Amino acid sequence: MLAVLLLLSLLVYLVYNLLPIDKAADMAMQEIAANKNLIYAERYLYWQRRYGLDGGLLVRYLRWLGLAPFYDGSFQGLLQGNLGSSIAYGKPVAEVIVEPLKNTLFLNLLSTALSLSITLPLGAFCAIKRGSKRDTAVQVATIVGYSMPAFIIAILFIWLFAIQLNLFPVSGTSSVGKDYVGFRAFLDKLWHFGLPLLVTTFVSLGGMTRYVRAAMIEALHLDCIRTARAKGLHERLIVRTHAWRNALLPIVTLIVGWLTSIFSGSIMIENVFGINGIGKVYFEALTTNDNEIALAMQMFYIFLALAGNLLADFTYGLVDPRVRVGGRQ
Amino acid sequence: MIRWFKRAFTGKKNLPELEAGEEIESPSRLLRQAFFSKKTALFALVLLLGVLAFVFIAPAFIPMDVNYTDPLQQNVAPNYSMRSVPRGLKRSVATIDGFSGFSVGLSKAGEAFVWGDSEDRLNKQDMKVIPEEVKQEGAAQIAAGKDHILALTKSGKLVGWGDKSCGQYGFTPVLNAVTMPEILQEGIAPESVRSIVCGYQASALVKTDGEAYLWGNENAVKNLRELSHLTGVEQIAFTNSTAIALLGSGEITTGSDSVFTSVATVDGTLNIPLNAYLVERKAVFIAATNKCVAVLTEAGELIVSGVFENGENELPQLKDGERFVALDSGTRHFVGVTNFGNAYGWGHNAYGQCELKADGKTARVFAGALQSYAVDEQGNLTQGVGLKGYIMGTDGRGRDVFARIVHGGKMTMTIGAVAVLLSSLIAILVGCVSGYFGGWIDVLLMRITEIFSSIPFLPFAMLLSQIIKYYNITETTRIFIIMLILGALSWTGLARMIRAQVLAEREKEYTHAARAIGVRESAIAFRHVLPNIVSVILVSMTLDFAGCLLTESSLSYLGFGVQQPQPTWGNMLNGCNNSTVIQNYWWQWLFPALFLSLATICINVVGDALRDALDPKSNAHK
């Protein structure tokens, strides 16, 4: 697990080194432009040392991790909690991403809750009524839902809800020129997040419903269900206690893994709706060559994905006593 | 590969003769039966094959110049009426004019007509709504500009409609515009007006006594202020950025701005300025396209000058004694009529707008932006050629959305297919080796798979795509690298699945049998086990194909995939990410979105049905 993280960090660092961006050279050039008396090579070396960009690739990588010292002997890497600093914002990365992170979390957690409250009952219902007309209709609808890319759904929803029905604003996170406080501010935010929320939820509906349905069908074919039926238990009881509990196992793992993946998935939604979330920060960092922020975000995504995997494994063991994580034959 | 397919789908024929009555149900046959019993899946398959055939065959018939743009055809709505001259005009044409998506016509009785894409969706105006005074009084002269129409009524009033935000008409001064002269406010006798002309957000009026007024957007027409009031003028013409005046003395002036530096005659192109060439000649007639001007001299010689991008300098060959008497010009082509009554067209001919027949009956010729019309002595419309319209409209740069959908579909599908093939290849290799051989190689390969599956797809693909932007490579290489990126990042799921399948197959009897007769291990893995799981792989590939289409279009939509001007279904939607386009120009996003969704939905339905058909459980419980 940790090895994978390390390997990936090396990979990502190497890939970022392919970008022809030299922060030290930029700074040195700026200084020379301001003061003609300075010698370029000297200033370049100074900034290289300042940013820890001198030395070989491996040394630089270790410095970035926080395992090798800078020129002045200090350690300022990831392990020390230093994510680097953004050129565009002129602030440490950690400070830059606080507000976007809040927005992204707000959007994604809310949409997860919303979509779960729809998909869990719907999927279970479809599994029970499997093969019926209603099930078929839902199946067709969900295929359409998960086949359409998020941005097309977003455009359709903007057209329908923001332009034709005029219910929501087209983009942004708060009303311009209005300083709401307290509850009004929250309502305003909710109003602005309404459309992205709808789209994010809608996008996830298809896949989730199908997954829940599959898990429930699987569970309904277990031997214990047959036994329960043979014993003459009420069908509702069978579904609610025997089947549902068993179906929940794969669903819980899915939800945990999915929670982490929506962070990278929200890049699209945040860009379409102009929401100041981490996806947008990453997008802008990439397009404006704000290298360190992009690097930090990339590591953040990888870390999230790995943590998600780990968490999924743990929850699996937690909810299902039959599974013992790490018990390899 | 072919042998696998053969064995997977026609395996029955290779089996030894069976006793009569004993039908064997091969898995692939069951698969086919289960699949073809589903009507939706079958329908989706037909639709999908239709889309595939469409995007791979149609590009051969619909040529497209990737770099072509036309500022005068921006945001044209889907319509097919750009050449439909109204019935009331067909029998008595006095004049026809057009500069962008719409054309105007004037009948001999003075009735004005507008046809084509006449709606200005941003300003909520429709050119077809002709002002009351023009309708009632009738017009003596009419002309169409890029987004405005100017008409001179029979009582001598100059009436404009359409956009006037750049001073195209109206007496209120506008920033950076030459205002319409005050003299015209109280009206002008129609007999004293020789012509009115409209250009790119500019207009001109020439009186019979040679006095000419020009007004409009001086940022669009560079020499407009300089030429705003002239005397001794015969004719005015507008290119996209210049006003040209033909003087009674036979000279041509564009003010201090000399743009015409080369001249084309019937004998070839000369590198001398137009004015130098005209020193010993007297010009009597001019017409101007976007970048060229055509001049008739008193001696009957035809000269074209300017930037020749569409073959404007390839002048038509005339018979002995035949000479042009009048010209007109569209956006990129010229039309002319000769003293023999023959009509000719030359220049840009992508829409067939130059294909006028020399029938000897033509008295006058007119050109819309991309259309040509010929009219006989009595004013009957005898010929109409050129662009009818765009079935799916045009985008913000004046490119045909339909052509781009066709070519973009080919690109999208190719990228998706290559990426899927690549990822499947990796997955098969990794899955088979890892599942069949086990041991340390399994552990190693599974670790690698874990690393690759932990990489968040979209951010990493964006990063890689951003990196290749810095390296100076051709667009084709770029597209190829994007295929590689997509393929190299998306094989992990399939590899795991194949491994699991191989693990199960490894313990079956036929593998033991093969091993017993001494088949090499690698041969067992790839030639015995693999054909048995090929149907599973195919189903998964189908679903992955849809996934790859989605990721490619998402990347392109964000601007990290295939770059403009090369179209794909994803990047065609890139420009639609604002409320103006979504609200006003629905065809620009609806059609690409429709095609992309249709393709992915069909693929998913087919793949899903295949998977269901493959799953023995789903059959047993139905």
Side-chain angles (χ1 to χ4, degrees):
Chain A
M1 185 67 207
L2 208 63
V4 172
L5 187 61
L6 266 178
L7 261 173
L8 274 178
S9 70
L10 180 61
L11 181 75
V12 168
Y13 192 81
L14 290 182
V15 168
Y16 266 90
N17 261 284
L18 292 174
L19 283 174
I21 300 167
D22 194 342
K23 204 169 153 189
D26 288 348
M27 290 305 284
M29 290 303 266
Q30 271 179 32
E31 277 194 334
I32 303 283
N35 184 355
K36 292 258 160 34
N37 298 329
L38 295 170
I39 303 153
Y40 177 73
E42 199 178 89
R43 297 311 299 164
Y44 183 51
L45 192 64
Y46 168 79
W47 285 109
Q48 267 197 324
R49 283 173 175 165
R50 173 87 180 273
Y51 289 132
L53 294 173
D54 54 331
L57 196 59
L58 194 68
V59 179
R60 275 184 280 155
Y61 169 66
L62 288 177
R63 275 203 201 108
W64 174 67
L65 273 188
L67 294 174
F70 276 60
Y71 184 70
D72 57 1
S74 64
F75 289 88
Q76 312 165 16
L78 288 181
L79 291 178
Q80 282 79 32
N82 184 2
L83 297 171
S85 62
S86 155
I87 304 167
Y89 296 86
K91 280 192 286 190
V93 171
E95 271 178 48
V96 173
I97 62 172
V98 172
E99 187 61 33
L101 196 59
K102 275 188 202 160
N103 283 333
T104 305
L105 274 177
F106 179 77
L107 176 66
N108 286 325
L109 290 181
L110 213 59
S111 86
T112 308
L114 210 63
S115 89
L116 280 183
S117 62
I118 298 171
T119 52
L120 289 185
L122 189 65
F125 172 82
C126 287
I128 296 162
K129 302 272 175 192
R130 188 175 174 214
S132 70
K133 280 209 172 116
R134 276 177 286 182
D135 175 41
T136 319
V138 173
Q139 288 307 297
V140 171
T142 49
I143 282 200
V144 172
Y146 86 75
S147 300
M148 275 164 72
F151 57 91
I152 287 184
I153 294 177
I155 290 177
L156 276 176
F157 273 43
I158 290 177
W159 179 79
L160 184 64
F161 291 107
I163 290 168
Q164 296 298 317
L165 301 176
N166 217 354
L167 290 177
F168 295 103
V170 172
S171 64
T173 46
S174 59
S175 296
V176 180
K178 286 180 183 153
D179 297 318
Y180 293 126
V181 281
F183 189 60
R184 278 303 297 278
F186 178 74
L187 275 185
D188 188 54
K189 190 175 174 183
L190 211 58
W191 183 56
H192 277 86
F193 275 80
L195 206 47
L197 203 62
L198 261 180
V199 174
T200 320
T201 311
F202 191 86
V203 169
S204 60
L205 280 184
M208 278 297 271
T209 310
R210 294 178 79 79
Y211 197 85
V212 173
R213 177 177 175 271
M216 192 68 182
I217 286 174
E218 197 84 354
L220 279 170
H221 288 139
L222 287 174
D223 288 340
C224 67
I225 304 295
R226 201 176 304 145
T227 315
R229 285 206 179 114
K231 284 198 298 186
L233 286 186
H234 198 271
E235 186 66 27
R236 187 177 284 171
L237 193 69
I238 296 174
V239 169
R240 276 208 191 145
T241 56
H242 294 70
W244 181 239
R245 292 244 172 112
N246 275 305
L248 215 54
L249 297 178
I251 296 173
V252 166
T253 9
L254 177 81
I255 293 169
V256 174
W258 182 56
L259 251 178
T260 55
S261 75
I262 50 177
F263 279 93
S264 59
S266 67
I267 291 179
M268 183 69 78
I269 300 294
E270 285 167 12
N271 272 297
V272 174
F273 290 101
I275 293 171
N276 180 23
I278 51 169
K280 195 161 193 306
V281 170
Y282 178 67
F283 179 87
E284 277 169 3
L286 261 191
T287 44
T288 56
N289 295 332
D290 204 344
N291 206 354
E292 286 185 24
I293 204 164
L295 190 54
M297 298 305 303
Q298 185 77 53
M299 279 316 290
F300 174 73
Y301 283 127
I302 289 173
F303 176 75
L304 261 180
L306 288 174
N309 284 354
L310 200 66
L311 201 63
D313 282 356
F314 276 133
T315 12
Y316 206 41
L318 209 66
V319 293
D320 189 352
R322 288 170 298 184
V323 178
R324 287 283 168 266
V325 175
R328 202 178 278 275
Q329 284 98 335
Chain B
M1 198 75 180
I2 295 162
R3 270 173 61 200
W4 294 339
F5 277 105
K6 258 193 178 165
R7 253 190 267 177
F9 289 109
T10 60
K12 204 179 131 195
K13 282 168 203 154
N14 300 339
L15 289 172
E17 291 271 323
L18 292 162
E19 283 172 35
E22 195 186 337
E23 272 291 309
I24 226 176
E25 293 269 293
S26 74
S28 53
R29 198 192 144 110
L30 276 178
L31 179 76
R32 256 179 295 163
Q33 274 177 356
F35 181 79
F36 285 117
S37 65
K38 283 192 177 175
K39 284 203 186 85
T40 22
L42 209 58
F43 179 67
L45 184 67
V46 172
L47 213 59
L48 175 65
L49 290 177
V51 170
L52 280 177
F54 174 68
V55 299
F56 281 106
I57 295 171
F61 296 101
I62 303 168
M64 185 188 73
D65 178 4
V66 169
N67 294 314
Y68 176 90
T69 58
D70 189 343
L72 294 171
Q73 300 287 320
Q74 282 169 2
N75 304 324
V76 173
N79 77 89
Y80 229 55
S81 63
M82 287 167 102
R83 219 178 72 194
S84 330
V85 178
R87 187 168 303 203
L89 185 61
K90 275 186 181 168
R91 299 249 159 253
S92 61
V93 180
T95 182
I96 294 176
D97 192 18
F99 201 80
S100 59
F102 60 89
S103 305
V104 294
L106 192 65
S107 74
K108 282 183 174 161
E111 196 181 349
F113 296 90
V114 180
W115 65 95
D117 178 58
S118 56
E119 212 176 319
D120 182 349
R121 282 162 190 83
L122 270 192
N123 300 322
K124 304 267 179 290
Q125 282 175 336
D126 192 343
M127 292 295 179
K128 282 201 178 101
V129 184
I130 296 164
E132 277 304 312
E133 39 206 328
V134 178
K135 259 190 197 168
Q136 281 164 7
E137 293 174 24
Q141 301 260 5
I142 201 160
K146 183 202 170 239
D147 43 19
H148 74 293
I149 295 176
L150 207 61
L152 181 69
T153 67
K154 285 193 168 154
S155 67
K157 256 174 96 178
L158 209 50
V159 183
W161 67 99
D163 188 31
K164 61 172 181 176
S165 59
C166 302
Q168 288 98 325
Y169 61 92
F171 298 100
T172 27
V174 181
L175 195 67
N176 290 326
V178 182
T179 317
M180 221 163 133
E182 298 262 326
I183 309 165
L184 300 173
Q185 197 159 10
E186 58 252 33
I188 182 163
E191 311 81 60
S192 69
V193 176
R194 182 176 294 152
S195 64
I196 54 175
V197 188
C198 288
Y200 194 102
Q201 297 180 331
S203 320
L205 182 139
V206 184
K207 286 163 71 177
T208 38
D209 59 7
E211 206 171 3
Y213 302 98
L214 288 83
W215 64 93
N217 185 352
E218 63 175 327
N219 287 341
V221 179
K222 300 274 175 337
N223 55 358
L224 196 63
R225 191 167 288 278
E226 194 182 348
L227 300 184
S228 60
H229 186 197
L230 299 170
T231 48
V233 173
E234 279 284 315
Q235 211 186 339
I236 297 283
F238 286 106
T239 67
N240 251 10
S241 55
T242 326
I244 308 157
L246 169 68
L247 303 180
S249 59
E251 282 168 82
I252 286 174
T253 177
T254 52
S256 52
D257 173 15
S258 58
V259 279
F260 301 110
T261 52
S262 68
V263 169
T265 65
V266 185
D267 305 322
T269 307
L270 305 166
N271 250 339
I272 52 172
L274 176 64
N275 276 331
Y277 187 81
L278 283 176
V279 166
E280 296 141 27
R281 297 166 174 87
K282 187 167 185 276
V284 290
F285 200 95
I286 58 170
T289 62
N290 275 2
K291 290 181 177 171
C292 297
V293 60
V295 183
L296 279 184
T297 65
E298 206 172 27
E301 191 187 7
L302 175 66
I303 311 155
V304 180
S305 180
V307 189
F308 311 127
E309 284 168 348
N310 310 290
E312 288 93 338
N313 51 344
E314 291 155 21
L315 304 179
Q317 296 292 329
L318 300 184
K319 298 184 191 91
D320 280 341
E322 191 175 14
R323 49 184 279 191
F324 279 106
V325 289
L327 305 170
D328 200 1
S329 57
T331 316
R332 293 152 195 246
H333 77 290
F334 289 105
V335 288
V337 59
T338 63
N339 53 353
F340 287 11
N342 288 335
Y344 294 93
W346 71 98
H348 185 238
N349 195 23
Y351 301 108
Q353 65 264 50
C354 294
E355 274 149 29
L356 285 171
K357 284 193 285 287
D359 55 3
K361 289 187 291 190
T362 310
R364 302 180 68 190
V365 280
F366 300 103
L370 297 165
Q371 297 83 14
S372 309
Y373 307 96
V375 175
D376 69 7
E377 251 350 302
Q378 289 77 39
N380 292 323
L381 186 75
T382 52
Q383 295 183 59
V385 290
L387 178 73
K388 279 186 174 170
Y390 308 92
I391 358 181
M392 293 186 183
T394 62
D395 66 3
R397 294 188 193 174
R399 300 176 292 200
D400 187 356
V401 171
F402 180 68
R404 283 176 73 73
I405 281 183
V406 169
H407 286 262
K410 189 177 160 194
M411 182 59 75
T412 305
M413 290 285 181
T414 314
I415 292 177
V418 172
V420 157
L421 282 181
L422 189 73
S423 81
S424 305
L425 209 66
I426 303 175
I428 289 170
L429 221 65
V430 171
C432 276
V433 167
S434 159
Y436 190 77
F437 295 102
W440 63 270
I441 195 159
D442 179 30
V443 175
L444 180 73
L445 285 175
M446 281 301 107
R447 283 309 97 171
I448 294 175
T449 313
E450 195 177 320
I451 291 176
F452 269 91
S453 67
S454 301
I455 297 174
F457 187 92
L458 197 59
F460 203 68
M462 280 164 70
L463 166 64
L464 291 180
S465 165
Q466 179 73 13
I467 286 171
I468 56 175
K469 267 185 200 166
Y470 285 99
Y471 294 91
N472 196 12
I473 48 175
T474 62
E475 190 57 26
T476 325
T477 326
R478 243 188 78 81
I479 291 167
F480 190 69
I481 292 177
I482 286 168
M483 293 176 190
L484 287 185
I485 293 174
L486 287 180
L489 287 180
S490 59
W491 53 269
T492 53
L494 184 60
R496 283 202 179 121
M497 207 184 76
I498 292 174
R499 176 176 172 268
Q501 291 280 332
V502 170
L503 278 179
E505 294 289 323
R506 191 172 68 168
E507 302 306 324
K508 289 205 175 150
E509 279 149 7
Y510 71 90
T511 353
H512 290 305
R515 202 169 292 134
I517 58 169
V519 181
R520 271 182 301 122
E521 290 287 308
S522 59
I524 299 177
F526 287 103
R527 294 175 70 175
H528 289 76
V529 173
L530 189 55
N532 277 291
I533 56 169
V534 82
S535 48
V536 183
I537 296 173
L538 277 179
V539 170
S540 173
M541 274 171 76
T542 318
L543 294 173
D544 281 354
F545 183 41
C548 274
L549 290 190
L550 289 189
T551 32
E552 186 280 324
S553 49
S554 302
L555 270 184
S556 293
Y557 174 73
L558 285 174
F560 286 92
V562 178
Q563 303 291 312
Q564 300 271 9
Q566 184 71 51
T568 73
W569 288 345
N571 76 11
M572 285 180 71
L573 290 162
N574 183 292
C576 306
N577 191 9
N578 63 67
S579 55
T580 320
V581 174
I582 296 177
Q583 184 173 7
N584 298 305
Y585 311 129
W586 53 269
W587 59 91
Q588 289 177 8
W589 55 267
L590 184 69
F591 290 119
L594 210 63
F595 271 83
L596 181 58
S597 310
L598 189 72
T600 49
I601 289 169
C602 284
I603 296 168
N604 275 332
V605 169
V606 170
D608 224 55
L610 276 177
R611 191 173 53 190
D612 275 356
L614 207 66
D615 185 6
K617 263 190 214 156
S618 66
N619 291 326
H621 290 290
K622 262 208 170 142

